[in-house]
Amino acid sequence: MIDFTVYDESDAPEAARPMLEAAKKRMGFVTTLNGVMAESPELLAGYNALAEQFGKSSLPGPAKHVVWITASVENGCEYCVAAHSTLALRARVPAEVVAALRAGKPLDDAALEAARRLTRAMVAERGWVGDAEIEAFLAAGYTRRHVLDIVLGVGMKTLSNYTNHIAHTPLDPAWQDQEWTRDVPGGEVIAS
C-alpha cells in the first residue's frame, strides 16, 4: 500500500495551507480527506469549489444529502458514507432515510427516492442514464436543472471517493459513530 501523508494547516504544501486553515475554521478541524488532498493543492481547490457550488445548487437540502450518500455508497467509499451520514443526521435528515441510503434501499419519500434512483443510475451507468430514469425524476417534481445539479454532486463525490480509495484515508473521529463498511452484504452499518 502506498502511504499518503495526511497534512494539516501547519505542514501542508504552501498553496494548500490557506484552504486547510479555512476548513479548520469552518469545521473546527481539518478532515483527513482535506489533509490527504492537500498533497495536490489543485485537487483540494477543485474539490472545495465543487462542494461550494453544489451547496449553492437548486436541489433541496435533503436531496443534496441523498446525492452525497448514494454516490458514496455506489462507489463503495467508506470514508464518505460515514462523513455524509453524520452530516445528514446533523442536518436533521431522518435517521430512517440515512439508514436506507446506507443500505442502498428505496426511500418512502417519493421525491427523495427519485433523487436516490437518478444518482445511483448516474454513478452505476457512468452518466449513461436512460430517458425513463430521467423522466421519472422529472415526474417527481424536479427540473432539468436538478438533473444537472446531480451531475455536479456526483462529480464532487467522484473526486473525494477516488481519493479515499487510493489513499485509504483514515476515518476522522467526528465520523466514527457512522462508520460504514462496503464489504457487508446489503451495506448494513457496522457498529464501532
Side-chain angles (χ1 to χ4, degrees), residues 4-82:
F4 282 81
T5 302
V6 179
Y7 293 100
D8 65 28
E9 70 281 8
S10 67
D11 65 357
E14 192 64 39
R17 289 181 186 182
M19 291 178 277
L20 294 182
E21 288 168 0
K24 187 172 186 177
K25 286 179 185 169
R26 186 177 62 252
M27 299 276 301
F29 66 101
V30 174
T31 66
T32 53
L33 171 62
N34 280 188
V36 168
M37 284 183 164
E39 182 81 30
S40 169
E42 297 77 15
L43 172 62
L44 181 58
Y47 178 74
N48 287 341
L50 289 178
E52 180 181 354
Q53 293 306 309
F54 188 63
K56 293 178 183 177
S57 76
S58 65
L59 274 176
K64 289 174 186 165
H65 290 284
V66 168
V67 171
W68 286 321
I69 296 171
T70 301
S72 298
V73 166
E74 190 64 27
N75 281 324
C77 184
E78 296 173 357
Y79 180 98
C80 285
V81 172

Side-chain angles (χ1 to χ4, degrees), residues 159-180:
L159 292 179
S160 60
N161 293 169
Y162 287 13
T163 297
N164 291 324
H165 294 343
I166 63 169
H168 306 280
T169 308
L171 193 60
D172 293 289
W175 320 136
Q176 290 290 333
D177 288 348
Q178 293 301 315
E179 184 178 6
W180 180 86

Side-chain angles (χ1 to χ4, degrees), residues 46-127:
Y47 178 74
N48 287 341
L50 289 178
E52 180 181 354
Q53 293 306 309
F54 188 63
K56 293 178 183 177
S57 76
S58 65
L59 274 176
K64 289 174 186 165
H65 290 284
V66 168
V67 171
W68 286 321
I69 296 171
T70 301
S72 298
V73 166
E74 190 64 27
N75 281 324
C77 184
E78 296 173 357
Y79 180 98
C80 285
V81 172
H84 286 294
S85 296
T86 302
L87 296 172
L89 292 168
R90 287 181 187 167
R92 294 189 166 79
V93 174
E96 60 273 10
V97 169
V98 174
L101 291 169
R102 290 165 57 96
K105 298 195 172 169
L107 303 174
D108 290 336
D109 180 295
L112 293 181
E113 174 59 10
R116 185 193 73 82
R117 286 178 51 90
L118 182 59
T119 302
R120 192 205 147 282
M122 191 88 58
V123 175
E125 301 302 324
R126 294 180 300 228

